[in-house]
Amino acid sequence: MHLTVPLLINPKAGSLFRSGLKSWLDEHRTDFTIIPTDSAEDLTAKARALAEAGEPVVAAAGGDGTLMNAAQGLVGTQAALGILPCGTMNVFARELGIGSRRFDTALDAIKNGLRQEVDIFTVNDKPFLQMAGFGPDARIVKLITPRLKKNMGAAAHIITALKVAVEHHPIITVTLPDGEEVKGAQIIMGNGKRYGGEAHLFANARYDDGLLDAAIIHQESIPILFEIIGVMLQRGATRSNISEFTSLRTFESCVITAEGKLDYQLDGDFAGTFHPGESAIIRRMPHRLRVCVPKIPVPGTPIERLMAHPMIEAWRHLIRRAQEF
């Protein structure tokens, strides 16, 4: 028997058209039952209702933020999240091997029955799937206007990053469960390897090991950009390839405070601002999320092939040599 999968979708989202998903769905209309949503809260509520009604798979179309809204309704249930990635970055879908806008691969992942359990972490009970950022990268997300993002896509992040790089940012303190305190100007936490698309920020991170990886960058302003770019060129940070200006930590929970106003982002969406005296409590949820994953991950992207180019390899070698001195 051919069963249709409920698909949560925002019918007004421009990404449906820009990604080609709408035309693809027209050709696969027998595979899905389209369920329109009108807000993030509505999407979460409908995902929960479908899971409680016994649906084995609930699919969602969108980027990382949309998927997180669906995940909030599904975590702790037996329903698996099916992913149709049509956002700007689609970092979580790339992490799972579905890729970005690879709708045939996404459909195969939904149909093949292969499921993976994924850890979910929260910041003051707000969950995120892939990453959380405190400091400049959250400030970048906050300043990117919908119009700029629509017109320039991922390039909007680069333009805004140059603006944020010359601003002053407060010192952030990360307090670990053993009482250790680590200070920095930028904190990026990852539940997986990727950050901003195909680029890897954490070389050894896993989304099912019960732990978060964190890069705590002590430098301020423009050096932050060079540190992040250098790590990405080396396919992710390890304790052997980072500079003395960055600390790596792995943990299940922590507390973050700052000397001034501190912006933060979750899965690439601006999430709010902490004020002096307020704390951000990061911890792992007791239940995991089930997701549909492909049996064979998508092949390497142009960026991954670029990383293997001899010239890029030469740059990576020079960076490693420089860090040895």
Side-chain angles (χ1 to χ4, degrees):
M1 178 183 296
H2 180 79
L3 298 177
T4 60
V5 175
L7 173 61
L8 300 168
I9 200 166
N10 176 5
K12 298 180 181 179
S15 60
L16 301 183
F17 301 91
R18 293 193 299 271
S19 67
L21 177 61
K22 188 176 185 302
S23 59
W24 182 86
L25 284 174
D26 290 338
E27 300 173 1
H28 295 81
R29 62 188 64 187
T30 60
D31 292 308
F32 299 97
T33 299
I34 305 296
I35 301 176
T37 63
D38 55 24
S39 68
E41 295 75 16
D42 184 43
L43 191 150
T44 298
K46 287 179 176 176
R48 173 65 66 173
L50 289 165
E52 292 176 346
E55 291 287 351
V57 175
V58 177
D64 294 304
T66 298
L67 297 180
M68 186 65 256
N69 293 328
Q72 288 185 62
L74 301 180
V75 66
T77 75
Q78 292 302 305
L81 174 63
I83 298 171
L84 290 180
C86 61
T88 302
M89 295 290 190
N90 303 307
V91 183
F92 187 59
R94 296 175 194 264
E95 189 77 27
L96 296 172
I98 298 172
S100 179
R101 308 183 181 187
R102 303 286 190 109
F103 304 127
D104 289 335
T105 301
L107 180 59
D108 177 68
I110 290 171
K111 289 183 172 183
N112 67 27
L114 186 60
R115 308 294 181 250
Q116 173 71 50
E117 290 194 340
V118 174
D119 299 317
I120 302 293
F121 289 84
T122 63
V123 177
N124 287 1
D125 296 326
K126 289 184 179 181
F128 62 95
L129 284 171
Q130 180 76 18
M131 61 180 176
F134 299 81
D137 85 320
R139 174 76 174 156
I140 292 168
V141 173
K142 182 180 181 180
L143 293 180
I144 293 177
T145 64
R147 181 177 180 180
L148 183 63
K149 189 173 183 179
K150 177 181 178 180
N151 293 336
M152 304 199 66
H157 290 75
I158 299 174
I159 294 172
T160 311
L162 294 175
K163 177 181 178 181
V164 172
V166 298
E167 296 179 350
H168 173 74
H169 304 284
I171 297 299
I172 309 167
T173 300
V174 181
T175 303
L176 302 177
D178 62 2
E180 179 188 9
E181 291 187 350
V182 187
K183 298 182 183 295
Q186 167 74 65
I187 315 295
I188 301 175
M189 299 179 181
N191 192 32
K193 295 178 173 62
R194 287 168 173 78
Y195 173 80
E198 285 293 349
H200 288 200
L201 185 57
F202 301 104
N204 302 313
R206 292 173 54 94
Y207 52 70
D208 60 355
D209 62 357
L211 299 171
L212 273 178
D213 285 61
I216 305 164
I217 303 174
H218 310 303
Q219 301 177 94
E220 188 180 14
S221 301
I222 290 179
I224 290 177
L225 294 177
F226 287 106
E227 183 75 359
I228 293 175
I229 292 171
V231 165
M232 288 179 176
L233 287 173
Q234 298 178 84
R235 302 294 289 157
T238 65
R239 295 187 185 277
S240 63
N241 71 9
I242 58 171
S243 76
E244 60 183 306
F245 302 108
T246 297
S247 298
L248 292 181
R249 294 293 187 275
T250 303
F251 48 77
E252 184 177 330
S253 65
C254 72
V255 177
I256 289 180
T257 56
E259 298 176 351
K261 291 183 179 180
L262 180 64
D263 294 327
Y264 74 107
Q265 59 90 358
L266 301 177
D267 290 325
D269 287 338
F270 178 68
T273 301
F274 290 106
H275 297 270
E278 296 180 336
S279 299
I281 301 173
I282 292 83
R283 55 191 171 193
R284 181 170 55 86
M285 294 184 70
H287 302 291
R288 285 178 165 180
L289 172 72
R290 301 185 75 230
V291 293
C292 303
V293 295
K295 291 182 178 179
I296 301 176
V298 296
T301 66
I303 291 180
E304 289 179 320
R305 290 193 292 271
L306 176 63
M307 288 295 188
H309 191 279
M311 184 176 295
I312 297 297
E313 286 290 342
W315 275 107
R316 292 168 64 184
H317 177 71
L318 288 175
I319 290 172
R320 287 193 294 268
R321 288 291 303 274
Q323 289 174 336
E324 291 174 358
F325 290 97

